[in-house]
Amino acid sequence: MTTEPRATPTHPPAIEVVGLLKSFGDHEVLRGLDLTVAPGSVHALLGSNGAGKTTAIRILSTLLRPDGGRAAIDGHDVATEPARVREAISLTGQFTAVDDVLTGHENLVLVGQLRHIADPAATADTMLARFGLTEAGDRRAATYSGGMRRRLDIAMSLVGDPSVLFLDEPTTGLDPEARIEVWRTVRELAAQGTTILLTTQHLEEAEQLADRISILHGGRIIVEGTLEELKALLPPARVEYVEKRPSLEEIFLSVVGSAS
């Protein structure tokens, strides 16, 4: 995990949410959501299906208007300054935005053109190298493995150097190897100063990556803190001696690794 920088009076929180409300018909999804994310940190937002994680991300990324409350990215209000917010953020959803017909390089060039980058081709080359995809750059994305597609998707999200990246269930449907690839990518991004808000249902993912963790339930954050602070909410662990057997995931990775 990275060492979490703190917001200062001259440097506002990367993400600040106060009393956020959102309903769909009679169904209240967010009922006073409060959330603060420090610059350059990885913050995990946990919750069961329907807890409101994706709704919160859609509001923060200006894709959905809240019914009440306030949200800001790098000090810019998502409701009144949506253009400034879009300049500062990028979003990687549960399903990749990769175009299978295009090569990896062409996907990145297209995003660079949409973001009005001065030299999209050079930027594409840089991003392919950064994410270990240079050798696959001229192949159609349809030939990529799940982990490669997700890395390309994240690379596309980072064209233009956004300061805040939303990762909404980034490892959904990935095999264990691909999931570890994505984890490595997230750690590298955090080390380089990108602020990451991660939503996930995989608790191990939050344990591995997050500087701080918030648990969303009933439309509100019910607990927040570091992993150690959350562990302290439970009774002290008892020391017991048990036989440690490898998990199926450990067996899978060991067998695959030894065969490669």
Side-chain angles (χ1 to χ4, degrees):
M1 293 185 213
T2 60
T3 300
E4 181 189 4
R6 294 292 178 179
T8 67
T10 57
H11 195 154
I15 302 171
E16 186 173 32
V17 178
V18 179
L20 207 60
L21 304 172
K22 185 62 185 179
S23 296
F24 296 98
D26 295 332
H27 179 51
E28 292 181 298
V29 178
L30 300 179
R31 300 191 297 167
L33 176 65
D34 296 318
L35 179 67
T36 300
V37 179
S41 65
V42 180
H43 197 113
L45 185 61
L46 307 183
S48 55
N49 281 333
K53 303 185 302 295
T54 297
T55 297
I57 294 292
R58 286 175 59 81
I59 290 173
L60 289 171
S61 56
T62 75
L63 297 175
L64 192 65
R65 292 188 65 87
D67 297 331
R70 178 174 61 85
I73 305 293
D74 284 345
H76 302 296
D77 189 281
V78 299
T80 61
E81 301 176 274
R84 296 295 299 273
V85 169
R86 291 181 196 123
E87 291 174 358
I89 68 168
S90 196
L91 168 64
T92 297
Q94 298 178 29
F95 305 101
T96 64
V98 172
D99 189 323
D100 284 340
V101 176
L102 302 180
T103 66
H105 190 271
E106 288 168 343
N107 269 283
L108 288 161
V109 168
L110 177 60
V111 174
Q113 292 170 338
L114 292 172
R115 287 186 173 266
H116 306 292
I117 302 298
D119 191 343
T123 298
D125 289 337
T126 299
M127 298 305 286
L128 288 171
R130 180 178 175 184
F131 285 86
L133 294 169
T134 298
E135 292 185 3
D138 292 330
R139 284 168 39 198
R140 288 178 54 189
T143 68
Y144 286 15
S145 67
M148 292 170 66
R149 286 172 59 83
R150 180 54 83 184
R151 277 188 284 145
L152 176 61
D153 192 37
I154 295 174
M156 291 163 61
S157 297
L158 292 173
V159 170
D161 295 321
S163 60
V164 176
L165 176 62
F166 300 117
L167 294 179
D168 189 17
E169 307 279 0
T171 60
T172 296
L174 296 185
D175 62 41
E177 287 182 293
R179 186 165 69 248
I180 289 172
E181 281 186 42
V182 173
W183 288 0
R184 182 167 56 246
T185 299
V186 171
R187 290 191 187 99
E188 291 170 355
L189 292 174
Q192 293 161 7
T194 302
T195 302
I196 298 171
L197 181 60
L198 166 74
T199 73
T200 181
Q201 293 187 57
H202 300 296
L203 302 188
E204 183 188 5
E205 196 158 271
E207 289 187 13
Q208 289 285 334
L209 300 174
D211 297 299
R212 296 186 71 79
I213 299 167
S214 294
I215 298 178
L216 178 62
H217 182 73
R220 298 186 181 94
I221 300 296
I222 58 172
V223 66
E224 190 224 312
T226 66
L227 179 59
E228 292 306 314
E229 288 169 346
L230 298 189
K231 286 181 177 179
L233 298 175
L234 298 179
R238 294 183 302 169
V239 177
E240 296 180 347
Y241 294 94
V242 297
E243 180 182 0
K244 173 66 169 66
R245 300 179 65 83
S247 68
L248 182 57
E249 181 170 316
E250 290 171 331
I251 295 170
F252 176 88
L253 292 173
S254 176
V255 171
V256 171
S258 63
S260 59

